[in-house]
Amino acid sequence: ALLPGAPHTLQAYLANLADGTIVGASRRSDGTWANGTCVTARIDRLGRRVAFLSTATNLLATPTTGPRDAFVFDRIDGSIVQANTPSSGEEASSTIGSVDLSGNGRYVTFRSASLNLTSLPITSEQTFRKDLLTGDVTLVSLGPVGPANGSCAHGSSISDNGGQVAFGSEATNLAPFDSTTNVDIFRG
């Protein structure tokens, strides 16, 4: 463990290279560490927020049900919020994969097959973007005729201001004349 009291499981940390300090990003403000593994940590450009995936159920006051959720830690106030929730606040109905954080720390992207993140019909993993300020969730993997008809299980990358998202998909309905199920890269 990198910090005293940290469990001997994968955890998310934030290291300040200027002064050598390390902060537990997967630790609640009361000192409680995540009771599950934490992976795929992403940091904003100011070093304030860290997004990560975790199987932990104890990072929020109300236990999460997983099996894997996206969280964002704020170094300034020590808070942790769950990112893979619709604006209503309920939990996503499916596991979450691939997380990224915009440079300004306002937006989080993730992939999920959760049916309660959009009102559109989805049949496979899609790419979503959540605005941490407003709580709005946007389906990014949306083509001219609807959600991607193939998996978007290939990660995403979000721009500094959150206005652009790149993602990989096997869908054939996101671009004209794409009739193969090869993985293509799209910008949403």
Side-chain angles (χ1 to χ4, degrees), residues 118-132:
T118 180
S119 60
L120 297 170
I122 60 173
T123 58
S124 59
E125 282 196 333
Q126 303 290 319
T127 300
F128 294 91
R129 182 193 75 173
K130 180 164 185 170
D131 184 332
L132 295 172

Side-chain angles (χ1 to χ4, degrees), residues 52-99:
F52 58 94
L53 299 175
S54 181
T55 59
T57 60
N58 68 335
L59 287 174
L60 305 176
T62 303
T64 53
T65 58
R68 184 170 57 197
D69 294 300
F71 296 96
V72 178
F73 165 76
D74 187 316
R75 177 181 56 83
I76 301 300
D77 63 16
S79 66
I80 295 177
V81 296
Q82 187 174 355
N84 59 300
T85 55
S87 55
S88 64
E90 64 187 304
E91 282 205 63
S93 60
S94 177
T95 190
I96 303 304
S98 172
V99 67

Side-chain angles (χ1 to χ4, degrees), residues 110-188:
F110 56 89
R111 68 176 201 269
S112 178
S114 296
L115 300 176
N116 62 340
L117 292 173
T118 180
S119 60
L120 297 170
I122 60 173
T123 58
S124 59
E125 282 196 333
Q126 303 290 319
T127 300
F128 294 91
R129 182 193 75 173
K130 180 164 185 170
D131 184 332
L132 295 172
L133 185 63
T134 66
D136 292 338
V137 176
T138 303
L139 176 62
V140 175
S141 49
L142 187 62
V145 295
N149 64 2
S151 177
C152 293
H154 301 284
S156 62
S157 180
I158 189 167
S159 66
D160 186 65
N161 69 1
Q164 300 289 319
V165 177
F167 62 95
S169 178
E170 299 162 357
T172 58
N173 67 334
L174 294 176
F177 312 110
D178 183 7
S179 59
T180 70
T181 56
N182 296 330
V183 177
D184 296 310
I185 305 300
F186 297 94
R187 183 185 71 190

Side-chain angles (χ1 to χ4, degrees), residues 8-74:
H8 293 284
T9 57
L10 291 173
Q11 297 292 317
Y13 297 93
L14 176 60
N16 183 330
L17 300 180
D19 66 13
T21 59
I22 297 175
V23 176
S26 55
R27 185 168 82 177
R28 295 185 347 196
S29 58
D30 68 2
T32 304
W33 284 92
N35 62 359
T37 60
C38 302
V39 296
T40 318
R42 301 289 184 254
I43 187 172
D44 71 7
R45 72 170 154 12
L46 298 176
R48 176 176 178 167
R49 293 187 178 96
V50 177
F52 58 94
L53 299 175
S54 181
T55 59
T57 60
N58 68 335
L59 287 174
L60 305 176
T62 303
T64 53
T65 58
R68 184 170 57 197
D69 294 300
F71 296 96
V72 178
F73 165 76
D74 187 316

